[in-house]
Amino acid sequence: MTINKPQKIAAIAAEFGENKARYPIGTLLVLGFLAGAYIAFGFLLDIRVIASTPAEWGSFAGFLGAAVFPIGLILVLLAGGELATGNMMAVSLACIARRISAGEWLRNLTLVTLSNFVGALFVAYMFGHVVGLTADGPYLQKLVAMAGHKLDDGFLEAFVSGIGCNWLVALAVWLCYASDSMSGKILGIWFPTMAFVAIGFQHVVANMFLIPAAIFEGYYSWGDYFANFVPVWLGNLTGGAIFVGFAYWAAYLRGGAAAAQGLAESVKQVPEQGGPTTASAKMPSHM
């Protein structure tokens, strides 16, 4: 199992970000829908696992939920998907490195956010409400309690929580790029993702499932949801674009020589999984 050095990861991330920004609209919408659904499946699994745990288990129950939630991001990165929070790091890094324009950056994040919302909403309604997986009993109680906890945060609290969340999620994506094996990628994704869920940080795409699922059962309102969406989206953007994307650009890619060397090495990799590419036939661009 090969582990890439941070300099090389930065170059790979910039390459992925450039590829992502130039996907056709149809590709972005399909992969964005899938990513939103995958994250929703992770949260649904979390609720189904912990809803009936004894109160005496305390925070250990939360750890169990956090331990299974990462299946969502694993599916996004290994099966293929376009996730707003991951793109807030990779596409922003490509923009900071001047590999894409600000217009391409905005187009990508807008389309991916919207399609993530549709995918998460689909899972919340079809599986949570129609199938009834979060519609009654302890599952509904846990759903409403978790959604209420997210909505209790004011604008500043939600914004700062969003920063912490996507600092960790973007690092999960970063560590995925560090390995060339499936097992290494899964380990890299799992630990930071588990950490943000166990801490209780706010993730804009996870909330696209959680809060609407509660709304479908008659709790809260769409006004409550969008009041939460804005600060969390902005906080996630700050965490991914500034604390990971900009920070590693400043450390490793600000000098053109380092970027060129990293990219020259990265294009030699042969990935384990396929996906549409626009810049290099040997690099999986869907991550």
Side-chain angles (χ1 to χ4, degrees), residues 4-47:
N4 296 320
K5 294 181 179 179
Q7 295 92 330
K8 186 173 180 180
I9 301 171
I12 292 171
E15 180 81 355
F16 283 145
E18 181 180 2
N19 291 347
K20 289 168 175 291
R22 292 178 178 153
Y23 273 168
I25 291 176
T27 300
L28 282 177
L29 294 178
V30 171
L31 293 178
F33 174 89
L34 292 176
Y38 295 159
I39 296 300
F41 281 133
F43 216 146
L44 179 59
L45 177 60
D46 180 344
I47 292 170

Side-chain angles (χ1 to χ4, degrees), residues 17 22 24 26 42 47 49 51 59-60 98 103 105 126 129-130 143 160 169 201 223 257:
R22 292 178 178 153
I47 292 170
V49 166
S59 60
F60 182 70
R98 299 184 179 181
W105 171 86
M126 297 302 295
H129 181 67
V130 175
L143 171 74
V160 175
V169 172
F201 286 146

Side-chain angles (χ1 to χ4, degrees), residues 23 273-277 281 283-286:
Y23 273 168
Q273 66 279 8
T277 60
M283 297 184 66
S285 307
H286 56 258

Side-chain angles (χ1 to χ4, degrees), residues 2-244:
T2 301
I3 302 299
N4 296 320
K5 294 181 179 179
Q7 295 92 330
K8 186 173 180 180
I9 301 171
I12 292 171
E15 180 81 355
F16 283 145
E18 181 180 2
N19 291 347
K20 289 168 175 291
R22 292 178 178 153
Y23 273 168
I25 291 176
T27 300
L28 282 177
L29 294 178
V30 171
L31 293 178
F33 174 89
L34 292 176
Y38 295 159
I39 296 300
F41 281 133
F43 216 146
L44 179 59
L45 177 60
D46 180 344
I47 292 170
R48 296 291 296 186
V49 166
I50 70 173
S52 298
T53 55
E56 293 80 8
W57 287 22
S59 60
F60 182 70
F63 171 75
L64 288 179
V68 300
F69 179 92
I71 183 62
L73 190 57
I74 290 169
L75 290 173
V76 170
L77 292 173
L78 299 188
E82 286 292 302
L83 186 66
T85 46
N87 287 15
M88 287 171 179
M89 180 275 289
V91 179
S92 296
L93 176 57
C95 186
I96 293 166
R98 299 184 179 181
R99 297 173 64 102
I100 62 171
S101 68
E104 289 174 312
W105 171 86
L106 182 61
R107 167 186 174 273
N108 179 272
L109 289 188
T110 299
L111 292 174
V112 171
T113 298
L114 290 173
S115 53
N116 285 173
F117 179 70
V118 175
L121 210 65
F122 178 85
V123 173
Y125 184 78
M126 297 302 295
F127 300 109
H129 181 67
V130 175
V131 178
L133 295 177
T134 57
D136 53 28
Y139 308 108
L140 176 59
Q141 294 175 16
K142 178 59 67 175
L143 171 74
V144 173
M146 294 175 77
H149 178 72
K150 302 296 185 185
L151 293 172
D152 283 343
D153 284 353
F155 190 99
L156 181 61
E157 292 172 298
F159 173 75
V160 175
S161 180
I163 292 175
C165 170
N166 212 31
W167 195 340
L168 288 169
V169 172
L171 285 173
V173 176
W174 191 267
L175 293 180
C176 176
Y177 296 161
S179 176
D180 63 354
S181 73
M182 181 169 287
S183 59
K185 289 177 182 294
I186 290 172
L187 285 173
I189 295 165
W190 188 84
F191 281 99
T193 308
M194 177 274 294
F196 104 73
V197 178
I199 291 168
F201 286 146
Q202 298 228 33
H203 186 277
V204 68
V205 182
N207 287 2
M208 290 174 181
F209 163 80
L210 179 67
I211 301 171
I215 293 172
F216 293 144
E217 304 309 327
Y219 296 84
Y220 313 118
S221 70
W222 289 107
D224 295 330
Y225 169 72
F226 286 109
N228 171 269
F229 170 85
V230 173
V232 174
W233 192 93
L234 292 173
N236 287 171
L237 176 64
T238 304
I242 303 302
F243 286 86
V244 180

